[in-house]
Amino acid sequence: MTRTIAGPTDHVVVVGAGLAGLSAALHLLGAGRRVTVVERGAEPGGRAGRLELGGYRIDTGPTVLTMPDIADEAFAAVGASLRDRVDLIELRPAYRARFADGSTLDVHTDAEAMEAEIERFASSADAAGYRRLRHWLRQLYRAERGRFLDADFDSPLQLLTPGLVRLAALGGFGRWEACVARHLRDERLRRVFTFQSLYAGVPPERAMAAYAVIAYMDTVAGVYFPRGGMHALPRAMADVAAGAGAEFRYGQKVTRLERAGERVTAVVTDDERIPCDAVVLTPDLPVTYRLLGRAPRRPARLRHAPSAVVLHAGCDRTWPELAHHTLSFGRAWRGTFRQLTRTGELMSDPSLLITRPTATDPGLAPPGRHLHYVLAPCPNTDIGPGVTEWSTLAPRYRDSLLRELDRRGLAGIGSAIEAECLVTPADWSAQGHAAGTPFSAAHTFAQTGPFRPRNLVRGTANAVLAGCGTTPGVGVPPVLLSGKLAAARITGRPGPGAATRSARRPLEGVRP
């Protein structure tokens, strides 16, 4: 049994209306709690925000939704349905990979389509290897879903279950890259199934194979885009929560927590004092620990994942070779990860994620216009350029990105831009993200599962953490699960959408 909060929990204040906070709010409401959500911004979303710029509607955070069943669990907690609130479009292909040698691979989540594409791209041997890899990824996900991803930990001893034995038998404690290489000979293909380790903040040759479950989400389970952009998801969650009785306080920054001994008795903002029986805190860890007035002792300082520079560009043209998501790989690979995670240098031969959401939803841009996001991973501010350095570095780096894109076939992109926003580690830092990264603490072994910062903090009896810095980790599905787990710490029960049911039942009503 995992610990739950003792004492009254009738009224819960959730700090932050991002995906974690909204998930927690819905699960709490479903368990009969009164919920007040306090958000410093003018609207819900948090990192999954929205920027209106010259008629362009720009997602400021995640650009893709995987595992929609997990989001559906939050809606189901109050008797609602994701499919009734959000128009989800399955992306086909999920990604397009473009390599430095000029070759191109469309990544399909349909098994037969992907096998045929790999046979065209590489060989029949790799196509057969893909089938084996897909089976392994599915087994890995099933082994982890209810026992590790959707679970709270109070002690490492809770790992000692038959589930751990099964995960070990699947090679989950080996190395991600090595496990993929057992199935795929072509080095380019290996990149497609290991680049996701960047989200975990660890190079694929050093990342635990257990984190290949991210590749399952990206390449097997399906990739979706909500009509209206990713911001449509938190907007719908907030609307449903409000309809179920949640009160929202927008434009209010939490300044302190009132305490009586080990219990938080009220959340204080710039405008009001809100009494509470329990509180869910979703800001980044440094902000949360500052509000609590205490931080857990760790044997070593937290290591943070790499950061990213993101160029949001509204253009008067597009390039038809771009899919909704295009992975543009440079020739370098291992050296790129070394720069991002060890030496702190900007990528000398960058691998980039280019997102063209108007390929799926033209309504995100003015008529005849196109929206592009270019994400370039970069070192965080702990090991790379600092916050002050980015003020002078940013415009030069933006120009170098555009020159690189021009060389890779997006001819004239610089002159095509008519509205833009550049986001650097300095901006992430200004938003309160530690080490200037939106990807929080890296998923090293010492920062995984029971070793990751826990969602209960010693010395505070009725506060629970949620978000990417705590259990289970980074990414939209884990963040949604973190809200569910935080609610369970308060209510003592899981939400109506149990992990086992979700793993067996595909989301109905998703539009192809």
Side-chain angles (χ1 to χ4, degrees):
M1 290 287 294
T2 55
R3 290 170 52 203
T4 56
I5 285 178
T9 60
D10 297 333
H11 179 212
V12 183
V13 174
V14 177
V15 178
L19 293 174
L22 293 169
S23 174
L26 287 167
H27 285 287
L28 287 164
L29 289 163
R33 300 313 192 267
R34 183 163 70 91
V35 175
T36 301
V37 182
V38 182
E39 167 57 45
R40 66 180 178 180
E43 60 182 6
R47 299 182 203 200
R50 165 64 55 79
L51 172 65
E52 301 276 351
L53 188 64
Y56 293 92
R57 297 158 62 199
I58 299 170
D59 283 322
T60 60
T63 62
V64 64
L65 177 65
T66 59
M67 306 303 298
D69 284 346
I70 294 175
D72 194 40
E73 287 183 4
F75 285 86
V78 294
S81 167
L82 171 64
R83 66 179 179 270
D84 291 340
R85 298 286 182 156
V86 180
D87 182 11
L88 288 184
I89 305 166
E90 185 171 6
L91 299 185
R92 300 176 178 170
Y95 296 93
R96 177 166 294 152
R98 297 174 61 85
F99 299 92
D101 63 3
S103 58
T104 301
L105 173 79
D106 280 353
V107 180
H108 300 280
T109 54
D110 176 77
E112 291 184 3
M114 189 59 182
E115 188 173 0
E117 177 70 354
I118 289 177
E119 186 162 358
R120 176 201 66 80
F121 176 81
S123 68
S124 57
D126 275 314
Y130 160 73
R131 279 284 191 179
R132 295 191 301 272
L133 174 63
R134 184 184 178 95
H135 178 68
W136 176 71
L137 290 172
R138 190 179 296 277
Q139 288 182 302
L140 197 67
Y141 176 73
R142 288 173 176 168
E144 293 184 40
R145 174 67 163 97
R147 299 174 181 88
F148 300 100
L149 291 174
D150 198 359
D152 274 321
F153 292 98
D154 293 319
S155 164
L157 295 177
Q158 289 176 265
L159 285 173
L160 302 178
T161 66
L164 185 71
V165 176
R166 174 162 172 73
L167 185 59
L170 288 169
F173 297 103
R175 295 296 178 230
W176 184 342
E177 186 177 69
C179 286
V180 170
R182 292 192 192 108
H183 303 287
L184 301 175
R185 300 176 183 175
D186 192 294
E187 189 270 342
R188 296 167 300 171
L189 286 175
R190 295 177 189 175
R191 293 190 188 191
V192 170
F193 290 93
T194 60
F195 81 89
Q196 299 90 349
S197 72
L198 185 63
Y199 305 151
V202 184
E205 73 270 15
R206 292 195 289 119
M208 279 198 310
Y211 280 106
V213 71
I214 309 173
Y216 168 84
M217 297 176 184
D218 273 7
T219 66
V220 176
V223 176
Y224 301 87
F225 186 72
R227 188 173 299 281
M230 278 294 294
H231 183 65
L233 176 60
R235 174 72 68 182
M237 294 175 75
D239 288 346
V240 168
E247 295 184 16
F248 283 83
R249 305 282 202 276
Y250 292 114
Q252 294 200 30
K253 181 181 179 181
V254 174
T255 55
R256 62 189 177 89
L257 304 176
E258 284 188 7
R259 303 171 66 100
E262 291 193 343
R263 295 189 72 85
V264 176
T265 56
V267 174
V268 181
T269 74
D270 292 325
D271 299 320
E272 64 178 314
R273 175 185 179 273
I274 309 171
C276 65
D277 297 310
V279 62
V280 175
L281 300 167
T282 71
D284 213 10
L285 292 177
V287 177
T288 289
Y289 292 151
R290 188 162 60 249
L291 286 172
L292 289 173
R294 62 203 65 201
R297 292 189 295 272
R298 295 183 61 87
R301 181 183 177 188
L302 278 178
R303 287 180 52 193
H304 289 88
S307 184
V309 173
V310 183
L311 174 63
H312 302 284
C315 299
D316 62 12
R317 77 191 83 157
T318 191
W319 294 264
E321 61 267 31
L322 294 177
H324 186 111
H325 289 113
T326 301
L327 297 162
S328 178
F329 290 107
R331 292 188 184 279
W333 186 240
R334 290 184 185 275
T336 293
F337 280 95
R338 187 163 49 251
Q339 290 172 324
L340 292 173
T341 64
R342 292 191 175 185
T343 66
E345 303 166 84
L346 296 176
M347 290 182 293
S348 55
D349 183 15
S351 289
L352 308 170
L353 173 62
I354 306 165
T355 301
R356 182 168 65 112
T358 44
T360 302
D361 186 356
L364 296 173
R369 297 298 191 264
H370 306 271
L371 190 54
H372 305 88
Y373 310 153
V374 182
L375 184 149
C378 69
N380 63 49
T381 56
D382 279 348
I383 66 168
V387 170
T388 56
E389 292 174 82
W390 274 107
S391 60
T392 55
L393 179 59
R396 298 200 309 271
Y397 192 65
R398 176 255 188 205
D399 291 345
S400 70
L401 275 180
L402 292 177
R403 286 193 297 271
E404 186 63 31
L405 291 168
D406 197 278
R407 283 195 294 270
R408 296 188 186 187
L410 276 62
I413 184 171
S415 61
I417 296 175
E418 56 184 23
E420 69 177 279
C421 174
L422 185 73
V423 184
T424 73
D427 300 297
W428 301 123
S429 181
Q431 293 175 30
H433 301 320
T437 174
F439 304 117
S440 194
H443 285 272
T444 61
F445 179 79
Q447 297 177 177
T448 293
F451 308 113
R452 196 163 182 81
R454 296 180 192 168
N455 56 9
L456 294 180
V457 178
R458 190 184 303 275
T460 303
N462 63 337
V464 190
L465 277 54
C468 60
T470 185
T471 305
V474 178
V476 172
V479 162
L480 290 168
L481 286 174
S482 79
K484 175 186 173 183
L485 293 172
R489 289 286 198 184
I490 294 170
T491 65
R493 66 175 191 175
T500 51
R501 186 188 72 181
S502 174
R504 294 171 184 166
R505 172 185 56 82
L507 185 70
E508 300 172 0
V510 174
R511 189 175 70 79

